[in-house]
Amino acid sequence: MPLDQEEDGGIIIDKEYLNKMLKFHRKVNPKEGLLGFYISGSSIDQTAVMLFKFYQDLSRDKKNKSPLLGQPLMLMIDPTMQGNRLCIKVRNTLK
């Protein structure tokens, strides 16, 4: 999903594009749902928190029949290969 960052650190999500892609996904894959999203990096920053909250709200959207299958999962991939290892973490909460 394309997004931009504002100068104050906020994020801009193209909801129209997202809704079109979700509608397309449901048409092509009617028996499948979404689990969440992925980010790259070594730590959870403010952008990741805002995205997670956005997907939480999306998962609770009963009006538009949420495409998410329950609580969203966040897959965090650290591409720096620290210690010659690819670090992958999965989170379903930001406590």
Side-chain angles (χ1 to χ4, degrees):
M1 167 179 68
L3 65 104
D4 289 317
Q5 229 170 342
E6 296 176 324
E7 289 182 22
D8 65 357
I11 57 174
I12 302 169
I13 296 173
D14 188 346
K15 290 184 181 180
E16 184 178 329
Y17 174 82
L18 175 64
N19 287 329
K20 284 180 184 178
M21 290 296 105
L22 291 175
K23 184 177 177 180
F24 176 70
H25 181 268
R26 282 191 282 257
K27 185 176 181 179
V28 175
N29 305 297
K31 295 182 181 180
E32 293 181 9
L34 301 177
L35 297 176
F37 65 102
Y38 74 91
I39 60 170
S40 61
S42 58
S43 63
I44 297 173
D45 60 7
Q46 188 64 27
T47 301
V49 171
M50 286 186 280
L51 278 172
F52 192 82
K53 287 180 181 180
F54 172 79
Y55 276 92
Q56 278 184 319
D57 292 342
L58 184 63
S59 73
R60 296 180 184 125
D61 186 3
K62 302 300 180 203
K63 179 182 170 190
N64 293 318
K65 191 179 175 193
S66 174
L68 287 171
L69 303 174
Q71 179 75 2
L73 297 176
M74 178 176 63
L75 178 70
M76 186 168 60
I77 303 168
D78 182 2
T80 61
M81 299 289 290
Q82 295 282 333
N84 207 24
R85 296 181 65 190
L86 180 62
C87 182
I88 300 173
K89 296 178 183 176
V90 178
R91 309 273 316 242
N92 68 348
T93 185
L94 294 179
K95 291 182 182 177

